[in-house]
Amino acid sequence: MPRAKPILLLEDDIVDASTITQTVEDLKVKNELIHRTDGELGLEYLKDPSHKKPGLILLDLNMPKVNGIEFLRAIKSDRELRKIPVVVLTVSKYEKDKFDTFGLGVAGYVVKPVDYDTFLESMNTVIQYWMWNDLVDQERQERKVENAKL
Amino acid sequence: MRSLKPILLIEDDDVDAMTVKRALKELKVTNRLVHKTNGEEGLNHLNNANGKNPCVILLDLNMPKMGGIEFLRITKADEELRKIPVIVLTTSRSEQDKVESFDLSVAGYIVKPTDYTKFVDAIKTVDLYWTLSELPTNGG
């Protein structure tokens, strides 16, 4: 597979962001995780030509300045940025949020679980799915490492 | 799948369609599978579904009459149909097909493995992901 593109995480909550970072680490995801704390900073990152374009965006909805829906509207009206799949990661179970985000072409809508184990399991499902899409790469559990532990 | 609505499979190859059916059965996915053999048939089905839209669409790309990309152009221009997640299931590794599909907001692009066990793994991952992911009740 070609060199893995980074994953862009847009999340204003520090605890949620560090939980997501931890799951990605625990799942041995090779892609670099880039974290920005709101939609405006996310757009700034994406519009800077010196930055590597992400292969996948993990998007929170309730954020200050530019929220998730506004961020989606902005990238989906951009000829290049619209090609990046966006997975919503939110606490919102509002029907309107699901309706609006799928209307804006999101590629998944995951409600953030509260406890870590369930969070890890959910993120594993997300990572496995995007691995089949060739957008996420995971380090293989090597026998050598396993043996070294024994 | 999270939703109880049917899965719409648009696939012209009989063997591939049978493989999808077999894999879903093996994985105990209980959603009804509606199978159409090209984009035009798929579109007719969606236009006559009277609000009973599928939860997800599994879409092949290379098909007669109306291919997958043209099907995507039409459904993604429709306010209601665009909300249904479309997962491309294809043998095409062409970068252009992938870029065009994501440009049309597909919710996944999976290259069909030729090996049956791996194929079941792929479908299992798709099923798990779309069981985790919520869907809009009205549009989906």
Side-chain angles (χ1 to χ4, degrees), chain A residues 76-125:
Chain A
K76 291 298 180 183
S77 60
D78 182 292
R79 282 181 152 225
E80 279 312 307
L81 301 179
R82 68 202 276 176
K83 294 178 186 138
I84 309 169
V86 179
V87 180
V88 172
L89 263 183
T90 180
V91 286
S92 164
K93 283 183 168 282
Y94 288 123
E95 199 50 51
K96 189 179 185 307
D97 280 339
K98 294 178 210 170
F99 197 77
D100 288 348
T101 53
F102 276 100
L104 285 162
V106 295
Y109 189 106
V110 177
V111 174
K112 288 185 257 194
V114 219
D115 72 289
Y116 187 74
D117 286 349
T118 317
F119 212 129
L120 187 65
E121 207 177 298
S122 296
M123 283 302 288
N124 186 35
T125 301

Side-chain angles (χ1 to χ4, degrees), chain A residues 5 56 76 78-80 82-88 92-93 95 98-100 102-111 113 121-123 125-130 132-135, chain B residues 2 76 79-80 82-87 93 95 98-100 102-111 113 118-119 121-122 125-126 128-130 132-139:
Chain A
K5 291 175 183 174
L56 183 68
K76 291 298 180 183
D78 182 292
R79 282 181 152 225
E80 279 312 307
R82 68 202 276 176
K83 294 178 186 138
I84 309 169
V86 179
V87 180
V88 172
S92 164
K93 283 183 168 282
E95 199 50 51
K98 294 178 210 170
F99 197 77
D100 288 348
F102 276 100
L104 285 162
V106 295
Y109 189 106
V110 177
V111 174
E121 207 177 298
S122 296
M123 283 302 288
T125 301
V126 171
I127 297 301
Q128 296 305 318
Y129 181 77
W130 292 101
W132 272 105
N133 280 271
D134 243 353
L135 289 171
Chain B
R2 169 176 288 265
K76 292 300 179 183
E79 285 239 338
E80 280 313 308
R82 70 196 296 168
K83 297 193 184 94
I84 310 167
V86 179
I87 301 111
R93 289 183 176 275
E95 195 55 31
K98 194 171 181 178
V99 169
E100 259 185 287
F102 277 112
D103 188 44
L104 288 160
S105 283
V106 293
Y109 187 102
I110 294 178
V111 175
K118 280 202 186 127
F119 188 84
D121 272 352
T125 310
V126 169
L128 282 174
Y129 183 80
W130 292 105
L132 173 71
S133 175
E134 312 240 345
L135 292 163
T137 36
N138 302 336

Side-chain angles (χ1 to χ4, degrees), chain A residues 1-16:
Chain A
M1 92 155 257
R3 266 191 81 147
K5 291 175 183 174
I7 298 169
L8 177 63
L9 168 68
L10 301 183
E11 171 65 76
D12 65 320
D13 187 288
I14 298 169
V15 178
D16 282 356

Side-chain angles (χ1 to χ4, degrees), chain B residues 13-32:
Chain B
D13 187 290
D14 281 345
V15 177
D16 281 359
M18 279 297 292
T19 313
V20 174
K21 278 182 205 169
R22 198 176 140 200
L24 288 172
K25 200 177 170 192
E26 205 171 309
L27 293 163
K28 299 191 167 45
V29 176
T30 50
N31 304 62
R32 190 162 65 88

Side-chain angles (χ1 to χ4, degrees), chain A residues 36-105:
Chain A
R36 292 292 182 270
T37 52
D38 63 58
E40 191 178 287
L41 293 170
L43 287 172
E44 247 173 54
Y45 174 86
L46 292 169
K47 289 191 171 158
D48 184 334
S50 72
H51 289 155
K52 265 198 270 177
K53 290 275 175 293
L56 183 68
I57 299 172
L58 303 176
L59 179 71
D60 183 25
L61 292 184
N62 302 313
M63 294 183 294
K65 287 188 209 162
V66 172
N67 68 30
I69 302 278
E70 288 161 343
F71 171 84
L72 274 171
R73 276 208 192 98
I75 68 159
K76 291 298 180 183
S77 60
D78 182 292
R79 282 181 152 225
E80 279 312 307
L81 301 179
R82 68 202 276 176
K83 294 178 186 138
I84 309 169
V86 179
V87 180
V88 172
L89 263 183
T90 180
V91 286
S92 164
K93 283 183 168 282
Y94 288 123
E95 199 50 51
K96 189 179 185 307
D97 280 339
K98 294 178 210 170
F99 197 77
D100 288 348
T101 53
F102 276 100
L104 285 162

Side-chain angles (χ1 to χ4, degrees), chain B residues 39-49:
Chain B
E40 198 178 279
E41 268 189 29
L43 205 59
N44 284 340
H45 172 77
L46 291 171
N47 287 331
N48 295 310

